[in-house]
Amino acid sequence: MHRRTLLASPLALATPALAQTAPTEISMQYSIPELFRGLMEDVASAFMRANPSIRITIRAPEPDYEAILQRNLRDAVTRQLPDVAFHGLNRQRTLLEREIPVDLKPFMAADPRIAEQGYSESLLSLGQVGSSQTGIGFALSTPILYYNVEHLRRAGGNPENLPSSWAEVAALARAIHGTAENLNGMFYDWTITGNWAWQALVFSHGGTMLTADERQVAMGQEPGQRAIAALRMLVDEGRMPDMRPNAAIADFFAGRLGISMQSTAQLGRYNREIGGRFPLVCGRYPLSAPNARLPAGGNVAMMFTRDAAKQAAAWEFIKFATGPVGATMMVNATGYMPASTIPAQREEMLGRFYRENPNHLVTFRQQDVITGWYAFPGQNALRITDTINDHLQSVVARRAEPQAALTRMAADVQALLPRR
């Protein structure tokens, strides 16, 4: 596997407890390079400048959370796991079921400077599975809607009063669709890794993936029925095309798409790619039930190494990446939320940034309805993800009616759950 080593600056101050003649070398792996490549390289470089007794080797990134999970599951068999890895929130359970991650609670309890990291208890809980602190949040997100303000205004919309329901979104998308040639009204990215966007639809309608005892599929119940009907409404009423997300995102950047439902993680990329060609405004994700929730997306830093010296170095790196300095770098490069509350409170970190970039605050305003990104139990977790995607594709492509597709989806997922 291709690896790249980032060298530390000899001018930086070492961490006294880890200072030694030969640097401790630890390996790190991440995914989604189009969002994280430059950021991860910068975070590793900054860490090594501050900790010259530790050297970070970055493994080749995987394309998404499913790919890095499969890669590391194979690595566990061949004993070639990275020392630190960044995994999707919903994949922690699968890794813990195979006893791969190291519990971070003892490291937190023994660290006299842990309070300086400013970890939010609510966001820290997203890295917990059962009684274990499986990971610590590095980049956390919620789903939001991106609007091209020029198309929005021409269609009669108001950027100060954005849609609050899917019916309003569909109506606006349809109005945008007719304002120019080769202009689509909207795209809802139902393909986002780990069925995240489908979970957002179900949760925001008050539903769940499985029953509380995890024995029966619950997404086929009334909230799920309304959720899949909303997705089809965006196709039928909102004129949403059946296209791949990369093409839809490119169309939005080029001004050929009016509304895009995506993770807030993409906000930094949207700002860079649009480059001021048109004004962009972000809006909250529509909530469709009194008990509506939204799944938190993003990833956590996890420790895999069992070597004591490497664990000490890995813990220092995890703290740096998820703490105030790493969090500031991450927010500036993406649209994610940090797990640390400190950067937003400090003017020199993110205080001024958030005042000048109000679109980045939309996801913070959704924290009151945030919940976990659901992880299906058992050996078939990845197969369930693919199964759900296949049925959603049939609805978006109009090959199947929504309710019929949902019934088959629920039955197929039920067959893949662990037998008890």
Side-chain angles (χ1 to χ4, degrees):
M1 180 178 294
H2 171 70
R3 301 183 181 186
R4 173 174 22 188
T5 300
L6 303 173
L7 299 179
S9 167
L11 301 178
L13 295 176
T15 301
L18 294 172
Q20 51 189 358
T21 303
T24 299
E25 183 171 330
I26 59 173
S27 59
M28 178 267 283
Q29 191 167 31
Y30 65 96
S31 63
I32 318 180
E34 64 268 23
L35 288 180
F36 291 113
R37 187 188 301 277
L39 171 62
M40 288 298 190
E41 293 173 354
D42 290 344
V43 169
S45 294
F47 171 77
M48 289 188 290
R49 285 194 296 272
N51 298 270
S53 62
I54 303 172
R55 179 174 297 172
I56 307 292
T57 298
I58 302 179
R59 291 191 178 187
E62 296 291 341
D64 54 37
Y65 294 146
E66 281 73 33
I68 192 172
L69 177 64
Q70 292 176 330
R71 171 76 266 170
N72 288 169
L73 290 178
R74 292 193 296 268
D75 290 340
V77 174
T78 60
R79 299 185 180 182
Q80 294 179 315
L81 280 165
D83 300 313
V84 174
F86 292 79
H87 277 268
L89 291 170
N90 67 324
R91 298 308 177 190
Q92 297 175 90
R93 179 176 187 169
T94 301
L95 291 160
L96 188 60
E97 287 174 346
R98 291 158 174 81
E99 300 181 345
I100 294 175
V102 174
D103 187 1
L104 297 178
K105 276 189 177 180
F107 293 88
M108 297 174 67
D111 195 321
R113 305 181 66 178
I114 191 66
E116 297 175 14
Q117 305 308 307
Y119 292 135
S120 158
E121 285 299 325
S122 61
L123 296 181
L124 196 63
S125 69
L126 298 175
Q128 296 167 2
V129 180
S131 61
S132 296
Q133 188 72 48
T134 312
I136 294 180
F138 173 64
L140 306 169
S141 66
T142 60
I144 60 174
L145 275 73
Y146 297 77
Y147 296 87
N148 179 317
V149 174
E150 292 179 352
H151 295 325
L152 174 74
R153 290 187 185 279
R154 277 198 294 268
N158 180 359
E160 302 298 325
N161 185 24
L162 297 171
S164 60
S165 71
W166 289 117
E168 292 174 353
V169 172
L172 179 59
R174 184 168 188 165
I176 291 173
H177 183 85
T179 57
E181 289 187 34
N182 299 318
L183 176 62
N184 285 311
M186 76 163 299
F187 182 74
Y188 182 100
D189 189 0
W190 53 271
T191 71
I192 294 175
T193 181
N195 307 135
W196 187 64
W198 168 240
Q199 290 189 24
L201 272 177
V202 175
F203 294 170
S204 67
H205 281 85
T208 59
M209 293 292 103
L210 302 184
T211 55
D213 62 6
E214 296 191 316
R215 292 177 180 269
Q216 297 293 323
V217 171
M219 69 182 81
Q221 297 172 359
E222 190 266 345
Q225 294 169 14
R226 293 196 292 127
I228 205 161
L231 179 63
R232 184 58 171 265
M233 178 177 63
L234 298 179
V235 176
D236 294 339
E237 302 297 325
R239 300 293 192 267
M240 186 178 91
D242 176 19
M243 62 193 305
R244 302 312 299 164
N246 286 342
I249 291 173
D251 279 355
F252 191 91
F253 296 159
R256 296 190 296 268
L257 183 70
I259 307 169
S260 174
M261 194 302 292
Q262 264 291 347
S263 166
T264 186
Q266 298 279 357
L267 183 51
R269 179 186 177 194
Y270 272 56
N271 288 332
R272 289 190 297 272
E273 295 292 339
I274 292 169
R277 290 193 301 277
F278 55 83
L280 173 72
V281 65
C282 294
R284 292 190 61 159
Y285 188 98
L287 303 178
S288 307
N291 58 337
R293 309 292 286 175
L294 291 175
N299 59 63
V300 292
M302 307 177 80
M303 183 190 298
F304 291 164
T305 180
R306 304 286 168 167
D307 177 271
K310 289 193 173 188
Q311 283 185 341
W315 173 238
E316 292 301 320
F317 176 66
I318 288 173
K319 279 197 307 177
F320 183 90
T322 61
V325 176
T328 299
M329 298 172 70
M330 181 275 298
V331 171
N332 277 297
T334 68
Y336 284 103
M337 290 184 291
S340 173
T341 60
I342 290 175
Q345 300 168 1
R346 295 186 179 176
E347 186 73 6
E348 75 279 11
M349 286 186 166
L350 293 175
R352 178 178 178 182
F353 175 85
Y354 281 129
R355 285 201 313 276
E356 296 177 350
N357 296 274
N359 281 335
H360 282 261
L361 292 175
V362 175
T363 190
F364 279 94
R365 299 187 183 113
Q366 298 185 150
Q367 285 192 63
D368 58 330
V369 295
I370 203 170
T371 189
W373 185 0
Y374 185 71
F376 287 96
Q379 301 289 324
N380 293 321
L382 288 173
R383 289 184 62 191
I384 289 174
T385 295
D386 292 339
T387 296
I388 292 174
N389 273 355
D390 290 343
H391 287 293
L392 293 176
Q393 172 65 67
S394 72
V395 173
V396 173
R398 297 184 179 181
R399 294 195 306 268
E401 290 304 310
Q403 299 309 318
L406 181 62
T407 299
R408 288 192 292 271
M409 179 198 298
D412 289 348
V413 172
Q414 185 69 49
L416 293 170
L417 293 178
R419 300 190 182 207
R420 301 184 182 182

